[in-house]
Amino acid sequence: MVIPRLYLSVFGWVMGVLFFRLMDGKELLLITRTVYFSATLIPAFIILFVETFPKRNLTFSNLKLCALLAVPLIFSILSFVPGAIIKNVVNFGVLKTINFGPFYHFYVIYIVSYFLLGLGLIIKRYFKLQGVEKNQIEIILLSILVSSLAGVSTN
C-alpha cells in the first residue's frame, strides 16, 4: 500500500513541476502549492517503504506511525495556507520566482531531515541484508540518491 502512495506523490510532484514550468496566470500559485504538497509526502513514504522492505510488514507501532506522519501532514496543510510556505509566484515569462513565507525554512528542514532519515534507514538495512535483497537495496539507494539530488537541485 505504501508503494502506490509513493508513486502518486512522485507523479504529483513531477506533473506539478511540469505545469509550473509551462503555465502562467492565476493558476500558477495553485500549481506551485501542489508541487510543494506532493513533495511533502515523498520523504515520509520513502521511510515507510524502507520499513516495509523486503517483508512488506510495517514494524512501527501506531504511536510511532502517527508521530512520523504528523509532520508531513502539518506541512501538507501549510502548503495550501496562503502565505505560510509560499507567499506568491512572480512570473517573468520563462523565469518564475517563488516568494516564500515564514514556514518555508521549517519545510526545508523537514524535507532534508526526513530524506536523511530515509537514507540512513536504507543504509542500515543494506548492512543487515544479504544476497538478492542486498542488491535490491543498492538499486533502491542509488535511485533515491539520484532522484533526490535531481529534485533538490532543481527546486
Side-chain angles (χ1 to χ4, degrees):
M1 199 62 156
V2 171
I3 296 298
R5 291 181 182 147
L6 177 60
Y7 289 156
L8 187 60
S9 298
V10 171
F11 178 76
W13 177 79
V14 169
M15 294 307 295
V17 170
L18 177 67
F19 284 121
F20 175 79
R21 303 268 187 240
L22 295 176
M23 299 186 93
D24 54 7
K26 295 177 186 176
E27 65 278 345
L28 189 57
L29 184 58
L30 177 62
I31 290 167
T32 306
R33 287 185 174 140
T34 303
V35 169
Y36 280 77
F37 169 80
S38 298
T40 300
L41 302 174
I42 294 170
F45 288 136
I46 287 174
I47 292 169
L48 291 173
F49 167 75
V50 171
E51 281 299 308
T52 59
F53 181 84
K55 296 180 181 166
R56 295 184 181 236
N57 60 344
L58 189 60
T59 58
F60 283 167
S61 67
N62 286 338
L63 181 62
K64 193 173 181 181
L65 182 62
C66 287
L68 176 76
L69 295 178
V71 177
L73 178 63
I74 290 168
F75 283 110
S76 294
I77 293 167
L78 285 174
S79 65
F80 285 105
V81 172
I85 294 176
I86 301 166
K87 284 184 185 177
N88 59 31
V89 181
V90 181
N91 187 0
F92 297 109
V94 176
L95 179 65
K96 295 172 179 75
T97 301
I98 301 171
N99 294 317
F100 297 106
F103 290 97
Y104 176 73
H105 297 294
F106 298 108
Y107 175 87
V108 171
I109 291 168
Y110 152 71
I111 293 285
V112 170
S113 299
Y114 269 49
F115 264 117
L116 289 175
L117 177 60
L119 290 174
L121 291 170
I122 290 171
I123 292 168
K124 181 180 171 186
R125 181 74 44 95
Y126 174 79
F127 288 111
K128 286 184 175 181
L129 295 175
Q130 297 177 0
V132 173
E133 291 173 344
K134 189 168 190 165
N135 292 339
Q136 290 172 331
I137 288 286
E138 287 175 355
I139 294 167
I140 292 166
L141 183 59
L142 181 63
S143 300
I144 290 174
L145 281 173
V146 169
S147 60
S148 298
L149 290 174
V152 168
S153 65
T154 60
N155 276 342

